[in-house]
Each structure stands twice: as C-alpha cells, then as structure tokens.
C-alpha cells in the first residue's frame, strides 16, 4: 500500500514537472537560453519518469546511463549553438537573426 502511494506521488510530480517544462517552452520564446533550459527541464522530468518506471519493474538501470549520455550530448550541442549565435549576432534573441 505504501509503495503504491509513493508511486502515485512520484507520478504526480513527474506530470507537474513535464507540464511546467512544456509551458515554459511554449511561452518563453524570446531568448534561446530560456528555451534550452526548459528543454533540459523536460529531459530531467523524463529521466525522473524512467527512474520511477524502471524501479517499479525492478529493471536494470543501464538504460538510464545511456539516456543520461545522450541528454548530456544534447545539452552540450545546445550550448555550442547558443555560443555560436551570440558570437555572430551579439545576443540570443530569436527576433534578431534569420534561421533560413
């Protein structure tokens, strides 16, 4: 019974994190850094969900390490794009540069 209550609580926290991350991603489109931070928050919420899911099934946590490796690579790629855009355009506003 206690395990099920903890599982429901963790799932509610995951859903709240995921919804907040999506709201920030949709509403704060002025700066590229805020968009990248919201994407990292979404990755963190998905990681939390996978942690809950794999521990509930008593599954091996090896896939979480693979997920973390890919999410770190995604974060490094986003930061490199941010730095290159700031160097070429002088700021990280979406309105100041043309992506086409």
């Amino acid at each position: 019974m206690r395990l099920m209550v903890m599982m429901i609580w963790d799932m509610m926290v995951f859903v709240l994190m995921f919804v907040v991350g999506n709201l920030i991603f949709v509403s704060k489109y002025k700066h590229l850094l805020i968009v990248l931070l919201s994407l990292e928050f979404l990755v963190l919420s998905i990681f939390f969900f996978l942690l809950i899911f794999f521990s509930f099934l008593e599954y091996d946590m090896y896939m979480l390490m693979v997920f973390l490796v890919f999410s770190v690579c995604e974060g490094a790629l986003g930061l490199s794009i941010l730095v290159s855009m700031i160097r070429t355009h002088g700021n990280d506003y979406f309105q100041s540069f043309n992506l086409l």
Side-chain angles (χ1 to χ4, degrees), residues 22-79:
N22 278 322
L23 286 176
I24 292 171
F25 180 72
V26 171
S27 65
K28 301 291 183 186
Y29 53 87
K30 188 175 181 181
H31 292 282
L32 182 62
L33 182 61
I34 295 174
V35 171
L36 290 175
L37 283 173
S38 68
L39 286 175
E40 288 298 319
F41 192 70
L42 286 172
V43 167
L44 183 66
S45 68
I46 293 171
F47 174 74
F48 185 59
F49 170 72
L50 288 174
L51 181 68
I52 294 166
F53 184 70
F54 287 154
S55 62
F56 181 71
L57 293 178
E58 297 176 0
Y59 192 70
D60 192 16
M61 299 293 175
Y62 178 73
M63 285 304 294
L64 288 178
M65 285 298 286
V66 173
F67 182 77
L68 279 179
V69 167
F70 281 110
S71 64
V72 166
C73 292
E74 176 257 337
L77 182 65
L79 283 177

Side-chain angles (χ1 to χ4, degrees), residues 1-2 11 18-19 21 26 33 39 44 46 50 52 58 70 74 80 82 84 88 92-93 98:
M1 178 68 179
R2 186 169 186 255
M11 290 304 288
F18 194 75
V19 167
V26 171
L33 182 61
L39 286 175
L44 183 66
I46 293 171
L50 288 174
I52 294 166
E58 297 176 0
F70 281 110
E74 176 257 337
S80 65
L82 176 72
S84 68
T88 57
D92 66 336
Y93 293 131
N98 187 6

